[in-house]
Amino acid sequence: MKDNIININLETSTAPIIAEARGRDWIEYGTDDWRNLYPQFLIDLYYSSSITAAIINATSEMIAAENLIIEDEDDRNFDARVKLQNFMNRANSNESLHEVIKKIAFDFKLQGAFALNIVWSKDRTQIAEIYHVDVSKVRCAKPDAFGKTPGYYISADWRNTRQHKPHYVPAFNPNDRTAANQLMYSGLYSPNMNSYFTPDWVSCTNWSLIDSRISEYHLNNISSGFSGSFMINFSNGIPTQEERFQIEQSLTDKFTGQNNAGKFVLTFSDDKTRTPEVNAISPADLDKQYLALQELLTQNILSGHRVTSPMLMGIKNDTGLGSNVDELNASANFFLNTVVKPYQDHLVKQLRKIFKVNDMDMPVNFVQLKPITLEFTSEDLKGVMTEAEIRDELGLEPLDVEVREDFSKVGMIDGKPVFSTIEEAVAHAKTLGCEGYHEHELDGRTAYMACEGHDAAVELSKFIEDYGEDMPEGYELVEEERVEDEDLDFDFEKVLNEAADKKIELASTGRALPGRKSEQDGISKKTYDYFRVRYVYAEDEFLVNKTGQNRRFCRQMMGAKKLYRKEDIQRMSDMVVNDYYYSKNQKRNIGWGAKGALKYDIFKYKGGGNCQHFWLRQIFKTTIGESKTTKIEDADLIGYTKAKSEGFTAKKNSPLVAKPPKRMKNKGFLTPR
């Protein structure tokens, strides 16, 4: 009866098969049903399994992170840093390095490997460009006598190699630069795989396949009038083989739709007394069984990807986010450290091979997307962050703060108001950007002043009043740039004026006042040009959150809109101008400086750890009279001075003054938080 039964077999093997084929120069990478097409099989699973697609999308975004940045190390070569930054801005004619990384991160997660086209310069001394190569189009050449892969074959469509003939590209090798293009193919270790790298979710591909089959089942049931699985028995004689196939085709066209949704078995017998029978061979509630199977396959797919909480991948579960925060935090930490981090470390390792060729090998690190997790308790965070900052870190909307204007002041101390109630002092603190209150004795009664620390609240206001300047009258702004590689002791203004004229008539007023001259100020005897260099507290537009300036120090500095001399900023570093809190455990005041110091280098670290601001250098010029000599271009003077600032000391100057602490290593803290 074997010939009398026609069965449609959907059994599929998903384990990758690596084999050398006779007459082929490449090693085939496929399965029993997908010969040399295993990468395409994974792509089909991505498109057909919604759970798999969600996990791969989310994970690849985590791997690519927000950006790739250069780690700050004072002993690194400045030229290498500049070259690397330029390369990161333009990895090829169309893309930045991070845009390339986003593509290879996706391949890395989906396929378990990635590929880069390395383009050498004409003289073969530098890597001119790198391009992403779809790793599904890559096949390994047969290994040489030493077991190494000498190169790779690339085809636009491995299903039709006659039309899309594979072309050979040598493997990336900095010691052999004969070819203009080379291919870097890499991935994480895969056991029992000599040439290729399998994805880390290979163990759950069968479950992803089941997920795709379930979606097909429901789709076909809707689009087909013949659903379920049936046995059809014809008892009026046994037709020929050709007739059997014709019957099958007619039934398929009439009842099952284009995708063969209604699978069936045909049988024939020589009993003319019986009429044809149609019998269901599957339960009537097969759809309910599929729904029960959904939960099982979801869990297995998540386990295969090492995801302990579906919410991390954007997959809703029954527990809900609000009631399961601790579990979600633990899952995020586990996934970022055990899954995402190894991917990122491997990418950095391979990229630095490229950087080394171009003499720009600098330590780089991924700026991770804002995590869901918190490594500290709320009590820990309250000590060093404002309420608005904590809510922003949690991804919560800012609280509406009612700003009162009707405070009942009972007096003034050090130019600052004091109030009769704690409530009024705390409310006034919110308008200043600080938290809490502190007590004073006034006329024999206890009065309350805004902010937890008196010194910080008063000293900063006093500093801004004494040292802050407005834009000088009669001057024009000729240059504005982030402060990079400028040592705190370098007199930029003095060197700039000396570049215009070697003979400077120094003029100092003694005590610094708004609109006063700096010790570096002078008048050029030759050009009659006079330069002033000042510094502005500015915000990084890409970092500042929607809640605005949350830290009192930053709010006051930004609100004042003043200019400062460098020597005045140095004075600020010797003062307690930023908020601090009293630690009951350490029994001392804790500030934003190293190890909780109240004073720190504000030129470098601005408002402290996680701060979103930087110093902007502004150069002003005025002309006293008509020049009697050939005028030197301003750009040449400024460029000369900037170059001199970079070589001011034998040791590499710190670029931290140009960078918001939030963009620094560990977000400006000594250790990761």
Side-chain angles (χ1 to χ4, degrees):
M1 288 294 294
K2 226 176 182 183
D3 293 338
N4 296 342
I5 299 176
I6 302 173
N7 196 3
I8 302 174
N9 186 9
L10 293 179
E11 183 180 357
T12 303
S13 175
T14 61
I17 298 175
I18 312 300
E20 294 187 15
R22 181 179 299 179
R24 306 292 189 186
D25 295 324
W26 55 85
I27 298 175
E28 292 188 343
Y29 182 35
T31 70
D32 289 333
D33 297 323
W34 297 74
R35 182 175 177 179
N36 198 30
L37 294 175
Y38 189 72
Q40 188 60 48
F41 166 72
L42 297 175
I43 293 173
D44 283 6
L45 286 184
Y46 169 80
Y47 282 118
S48 60
S49 170
S50 59
I51 301 173
T52 301
I55 296 173
I56 290 177
N57 288 337
T59 307
S60 63
E61 289 177 3
M62 293 182 191
I63 296 171
E66 184 179 349
N67 203 355
L68 187 71
I69 62 169
I70 305 171
E71 293 281 11
D72 294 307
E73 293 190 16
D74 292 342
D75 60 344
R76 294 287 175 170
N77 183 272
F78 176 74
D79 292 336
R81 184 172 180 270
V82 172
K83 288 180 65 177
L84 180 55
Q85 189 61 61
N86 291 335
F87 187 83
M88 293 170 67
N89 294 336
R90 187 179 180 275
N92 56 59
S93 58
N94 301 314
E95 301 169 303
S96 67
L97 180 60
H98 189 248
E99 288 175 318
V100 176
I101 288 175
K102 291 173 71 174
K103 293 179 180 179
I104 65 176
F106 182 86
D107 283 355
F108 204 177
K109 175 58 183 174
L110 176 62
Q111 302 284 355
F114 63 90
L116 287 171
N117 180 24
I118 310 296
V119 182
W120 290 95
S121 60
K122 291 183 178 180
D123 59 4
R124 303 294 196 271
T125 60
Q126 299 281 306
I127 294 175
E129 296 178 317
I130 62 172
Y131 291 87
H132 161 260
V133 177
D134 185 352
V135 77
S136 69
K137 312 297 185 185
V138 178
R139 297 295 184 271
C140 297
K142 294 180 180 180
D144 57 21
F146 300 98
K148 294 184 178 181
T149 302
Y152 304 91
Y153 286 88
I154 300 175
S155 173
D157 188 356
W158 283 98
R159 289 169 293 194
N160 188 356
T161 54
R162 289 187 177 181
Q163 183 176 351
H164 302 278
K165 188 176 180 180
H167 65 274
Y168 179 80
V169 181
F172 174 62
N173 184 1
N175 299 322
D176 183 5
R177 307 181 184 183
T178 307
N181 295 69
Q182 295 179 342
L183 192 79
M184 173 184 282
Y185 173 81
S186 185
L188 297 175
Y189 170 73
S190 302
N192 202 32
M193 299 291 289
N194 297 324
S195 300
Y196 296 99
F197 303 93
T198 57
D200 63 349
W201 56 284
V202 66
S203 61
C204 67
T205 52
N206 280 330
W207 290 102
S208 297
L209 187 61
I210 293 174
D211 186 31
S212 70
R213 293 291 186 266
I214 290 178
S215 64
E216 289 177 6
Y217 166 78
H218 290 294
L219 177 62
N220 294 329
N221 269 346
I222 294 173
S223 57
S224 172
F226 193 98
S227 61
S229 298
F230 294 83
M231 175 175 289
I232 304 174
N233 182 40
F234 289 90
S235 305
N236 56 349
I238 302 175
T240 64
Q241 187 70 33
E242 183 179 353
E243 290 173 334
R244 296 178 205 173
F245 280 107
Q246 288 179 352
I247 294 172
E248 179 195 1
Q249 190 61 49
S250 297
L251 290 170
T252 300
D253 295 340
K254 186 158 181 75
F255 297 111
T256 65
Q258 60 181 359
N259 293 321
N260 269 342
K263 296 175 289 293
F264 53 85
V265 177
L266 293 179
T267 65
F268 302 91
S269 63
D270 194 9
D271 187 358
K272 297 181 180 181
T273 62
R274 299 180 61 184
T275 58
E277 295 178 346
V278 180
N279 300 312
I281 59 174
S282 61
D285 60 347
L286 190 59
D287 58 332
K288 296 180 181 179
Q289 292 192 24
Y290 279 160
L291 290 175
L293 182 61
Q294 187 73 39
E295 183 178 352
L296 178 62
L297 71 88
T298 300
Q299 185 57 52
N300 279 280
I301 293 175
L302 290 171
S303 299
H305 289 272
R306 291 175 290 171
V307 179
T308 56
S309 175
M311 289 292 292
L312 292 175
M313 304 292 111
I315 302 172
K316 187 70 171 70
N317 62 358
D318 296 333
T319 58
L321 178 61
S323 62
N324 224 13
V325 174
D326 291 339
E327 178 184 343
L328 188 61
N329 289 340
S331 299
N333 277 325
F334 172 83
F335 194 77
L336 289 172
N337 289 305
T338 63
V339 180
V340 175
K341 189 71 164 57
Y343 278 106
Q344 292 178 333
D345 290 343
H346 187 80
L347 285 176
V348 168
K349 182 180 179 181
Q350 299 306 310
L351 288 173
R352 291 191 68 171
K353 293 180 181 179
I354 299 173
F355 301 160
K356 187 176 181 180
V357 173
N358 286 8
D359 296 323
M360 55 185 188
D361 186 17
M362 299 281 291
V364 293
N365 194 20
F366 284 95
V367 179
Q368 191 59 56
L369 297 169
K370 184 170 289 187
I372 303 174
T373 63
L374 291 173
E375 298 181 10
F376 299 90
T377 66
S378 57
E379 293 301 318
D380 294 332
L381 295 175
K382 287 179 182 178
V384 294
M385 299 175 70
T386 66
E387 182 181 26
E389 287 177 321
I390 294 174
R391 294 187 65 83
D392 179 64
E393 199 68 25
L394 288 169
L396 301 176
E397 293 294 327
L399 295 174
D400 294 330
V401 179
E402 181 182 357
V403 179
R404 294 183 53 185
E405 303 289 347
D406 58 341
F407 299 121
S408 56
K409 295 182 291 185
V410 296
M412 302 287 288
I413 298 178
D414 293 331
K416 299 298 175 183
V418 291
F419 305 92
S420 59
T421 66
I422 296 176
E423 178 188 10
E424 291 176 313
V426 171
H428 185 58
K430 294 185 181 296
T431 67
L432 301 176
C434 58
E435 299 289 334
Y437 71 96
H438 61 280
E439 298 179 356
H440 285 279
E441 193 74 20
L442 183 67
D443 299 331
R445 298 186 303 170
T446 300
Y448 306 96
M449 182 179 288
C451 306
E452 293 179 345
H454 179 75
D455 291 342
V458 175
E459 288 296 321
L460 182 59
S461 299
K462 190 173 184 299
F463 171 85
I464 294 174
E465 183 179 346
D466 289 346
Y467 298 104
E469 302 179 15
D470 297 316
M471 181 174 179
E473 296 182 5
Y475 283 77
E476 62 172 323
L477 181 65
V478 295
E479 182 76 4
E480 184 178 68
E481 60 182 351
R482 288 191 182 218
V483 183
E484 293 213 39
D485 302 317
E486 181 179 334
D487 192 273
L488 187 61
D489 296 328
F490 183 81
D491 293 336
F492 198 100
E493 187 171 307
K494 179 180 179 181
V495 175
L496 178 59
N497 282 318
E498 287 180 345
D501 185 277
K502 302 294 184 183
K503 192 173 182 179
I504 299 293
E505 183 178 88
L506 297 177
S508 177
T509 60
R511 184 175 181 271
L513 294 170
R516 70 230 177 273
K517 293 181 179 179
S518 169
E519 293 179 356
Q520 308 157 10
D521 296 345
I523 300 174
S524 171
K525 296 294 187 179
K526 291 182 180 180
T527 65
Y528 284 74
D529 287 340
Y530 174 68
F531 294 93
R532 280 186 176 177
V533 180
R534 297 296 184 263
Y535 301 85
V536 181
Y537 199 71
E539 64 183 16
D540 191 310
E541 297 179 352
F542 297 99
L543 287 179
V544 173
N545 53 54
K546 297 180 180 179
T547 61
Q549 318 301 326
N550 296 320
R551 199 167 296 166
R552 180 193 59 82
F553 175 86
C554 298
R555 288 186 61 177
Q556 284 194 241
M557 291 293 292
M558 290 296 298
K561 299 178 181 179
K562 296 292 185 179
L563 310 176
Y564 306 92
R565 304 179 306 165
K566 190 189 295 183
E567 53 258 51
D568 295 333
I569 299 173
Q570 191 170 11
R571 285 189 179 94
M572 196 188 325
S573 300
D574 296 330
M575 303 164 60
V576 181
V577 294
N578 208 345
D579 290 330
Y580 58 85
Y581 75 101
Y582 182 77
S583 172
K584 295 181 180 180
N585 294 330
Q586 301 186 39
K587 297 182 179 180
R588 67 184 182 98
N589 292 325
I590 304 296
W592 287 100
K595 299 180 180 181
L598 303 184
K599 302 176 183 178
Y600 61 93
D601 191 340
I602 291 179
F603 197 55
K604 286 184 180 179
Y605 299 105
K606 298 79 181 182
N610 215 38
C611 175
Q612 304 172 1
H613 299 84
F614 64 94
W615 288 107
L616 185 70
R617 180 171 56 226
Q618 292 185 336
I619 301 176
F620 302 90
K621 187 191 75 171
T622 188
T623 301
I624 307 300
E626 185 179 353
S627 176
K628 297 180 181 180
T629 61
T630 304
K631 185 175 178 64
I632 304 175
E633 293 292 332
D634 298 335
D636 295 336
L637 292 173
I638 296 170
Y640 168 82
T641 307
K642 188 174 185 298
K644 194 166 182 178
S645 72
E646 295 169 5
F648 175 58
T649 60
K651 184 180 178 181
K652 170 75 167 58
N653 298 321
S654 174
L656 297 180
V657 290
K659 184 173 292 187
K662 198 164 185 174
R663 290 192 182 276
M664 299 178 184
K665 184 178 182 180
N666 300 325
K667 295 185 178 181
F669 295 98
L670 290 178
T671 57
R673 296 171 59 79

